[in-house]
Amino acid sequence: MGDYLVRAIGYNGQVRAFATRTTETVGEAQRRHNTWPVVSAALGRSMTAAVMMGAMLKGEDKLTVKIEGNGPIGPMIIDADAKGDVRGYVTNGQVHFDLNEYGKLDVRAGVGTEGFMTVVKDLGLRDMFSGQTPIVSGEIAEDFTYYFATSEQVPSSVGLGVLVNPDNSILAAGGFILQIMPGCEEETIESIEKHLSTIEPVSKMIEKGMTPEQILEAVLGEEGNVQILSTMPIRFQCQCSKERFGAAILGLGVKEIQDMIEEQGEIETQCHFCLQTYDFSEAELQGLIDEINA
Ligand code: ZN
């Protein structure tokens, strides 16, 4: 079974819901960046939330989530779009922490408990939306919940989970987001809160192999009457290319490129998100200068 995401409604449209399985996607990020368990959990939870936020967008829209805590893993940046593509990287991938007092990966210690989460949405036609909230937990799910409540004024419940194998590979990853729609009845909210207080942690559900559909059924319960609207495959996918790096070098201007040629002859560039490298020979760099001068 490949990774996928479901969009759904519950309580006859009073709640909208998303759930996803991201095991392969987070696994790809872990392999590319060789992240250690706490970092994998932090990045994996963030990517899982971001891919669900991407599913709230339309068409060519995309978004970037930047989580900058004061912990040793450093800033994390995740890009996601409306088509299920997500990519992400973290500044320091090889940081180790002992398990916390609950016997869980100590994500908070890695991310830090102070700092900011910034979401930038590119909604096409030069329409940009940007929101920033402080990190309130460092465990990621609570930070997204706080972001939705304060920056987007949408009461939400976010559950995220990443389980890591002893060899650092990803055993399972996934999560859900519930959002209360305007006009939602008070008793619906009470019912959801009551239900959420009794469900098992999302990491447990993922470990059991529950599908996104089953996760939503468990989270909203029978009274939630989950109706699946659509499903979408998701994957770790980078949009980098040699052309894009060429355009970035072009933007540096003639003087900078000439300095590169004189100092290094040829250069190697590397994508932060996927670690793919792109070499530019002296002739190619000279070609960029010719392009500017043309
Ligand atoms: Zn890339």
Side-chain angles (χ1 to χ4, degrees), residues 32 87 236-241 245 270-278:
R32 285 181 184 270
R87 62 179 188 172
F236 184 104
Q237 175 71 22
C238 198
Q239 287 84 28
C240 69
S241 64
F245 275 90
Q270 186 175 39
C271 176
H272 287 306
F273 288 97
C274 69
L275 303 184
Q276 172 75 44
T277 57
Y278 299 99

Side-chain angles (χ1 to χ4, degrees), residues 113-140:
T113 52
E114 282 173 41
F116 288 94
M117 178 171 135
T118 310
V119 176
V120 177
K121 295 181 187 174
D122 177 356
L123 305 174
L125 301 172
R126 299 174 190 221
D127 201 4
M128 298 286 273
F129 164 90
S130 171
Q132 188 180 65
T133 48
I135 287 172
V136 292
S137 148
E139 290 284 337
I140 306 298

Side-chain angles (χ1 to χ4, degrees), residues 124-201:
L125 301 172
R126 299 174 190 221
D127 201 4
M128 298 286 273
F129 164 90
S130 171
Q132 188 180 65
T133 48
I135 287 172
V136 292
S137 148
E139 290 284 337
I140 306 298
E142 292 88 339
D143 300 300
F144 275 93
T145 302
Y146 188 76
Y147 164 81
F148 284 125
T150 57
S151 189
E152 302 196 3
Q153 283 91 47
V154 183
S156 308
S157 175
V158 182
L160 305 168
V162 175
L163 298 170
V164 180
N165 288 313
D167 68 356
N168 287 355
S169 64
I170 302 300
L171 171 64
F176 68 85
I177 297 177
L178 303 184
Q179 297 199 308
I180 302 296
M181 295 290 96
C184 182
E185 291 161 17
E186 192 54 43
E187 57 188 45
T188 300
I189 295 171
E190 282 170 18
S191 169
I192 291 169
E193 283 174 351
K194 197 169 142 225
H195 206 81
L196 284 176
S197 66
T198 61
I199 60 167
E200 51 187 359

